[in-house]
Amino acid sequence: MTEEERSYYEHNDLPPKPLPVSRATILDTAKQYVTQDRQNTHGKPEDSFARIATYWSVYLEGEVTSKDVAIMMTLLKIARLDENPTNADNWIDACGYLACGGEIVGSEVPR
């Protein structure tokens, strides 16, 4: 294991991946992350985003919703793209955050 790989392993993070070549690959990877990989690690997005919203609300001294969390996490990934637009993780995660946010908001809408 290289020093770089060990660092990613120790910090429970993924090493930067080369940019996938197609939008389908980006979306397929995001789908896998939010329905399997990340959910197994961090729990259900609706629970995780609600928990984050609670912490951020306290810190910011104002209400933050799960929808806000999805949007702000997406904006974080967009800001990182300014620095490194070839890091696939930022593109993939931005899609994943938006998908989770859409599902959360969709589940809150009366039917």
Side-chain angles (χ1 to χ4, degrees), residues 12 36-43:
N12 195 24
Q36 297 171 19
D37 299 350
R38 299 293 201 279
Q39 185 162 312
N40 291 339
T41 302
H42 303 297

Side-chain angles (χ1 to χ4, degrees), residues 10-31:
E10 289 171 358
H11 293 97
N12 195 24
D13 201 4
L14 298 173
K17 293 179 267 329
L19 190 63
V21 294
S22 72
R23 58 185 160 243
T25 302
I26 291 171
L27 291 171
D28 288 343
T29 304
K31 180 180 178 180

Side-chain angles (χ1 to χ4, degrees):
M1 180 181 300
T2 68
E3 183 175 333
E4 181 181 28
E5 291 169 330
R6 186 174 14 270
S7 174
Y8 286 115
Y9 176 77
E10 289 171 358
H11 293 97
N12 195 24
D13 201 4
L14 298 173
K17 293 179 267 329
L19 190 63
V21 294
S22 72
R23 58 185 160 243
T25 302
I26 291 171
L27 291 171
D28 288 343
T29 304
K31 180 180 178 180
Q32 178 183 341
Y33 283 1
V34 300
T35 60
Q36 297 171 19
D37 299 350
R38 299 293 201 279
Q39 185 162 312
N40 291 339
T41 302
H42 303 297
K44 293 180 181 178
E46 56 270 24
D47 297 338
S48 177
F49 285 29
R51 187 171 40 258
I52 293 166
T54 300
Y55 282 111
W56 286 0
S57 293
V58 170
Y59 182 78
L60 296 171
E61 298 177 353
E63 183 182 6
V64 176
T65 66
S66 293
K67 178 191 82 168
D68 295 325
V69 171
I71 292 168
M72 289 190 283
M73 294 301 289
T74 302
L75 291 171
L76 171 109
K77 291 300 183 169
I78 291 169
R80 287 182 175 175
L81 285 167
D82 280 342
E83 179 65 30
N84 186 357
T86 62
N87 183 2
D89 189 58
N90 294 323
W91 294 101
I92 293 165
D93 283 352
C95 292
Y97 286 126
L98 287 173
C100 290
E103 183 176 289
I104 289 167
V105 169
S107 71
E108 295 170 351
V109 175
R111 298 180 193 252

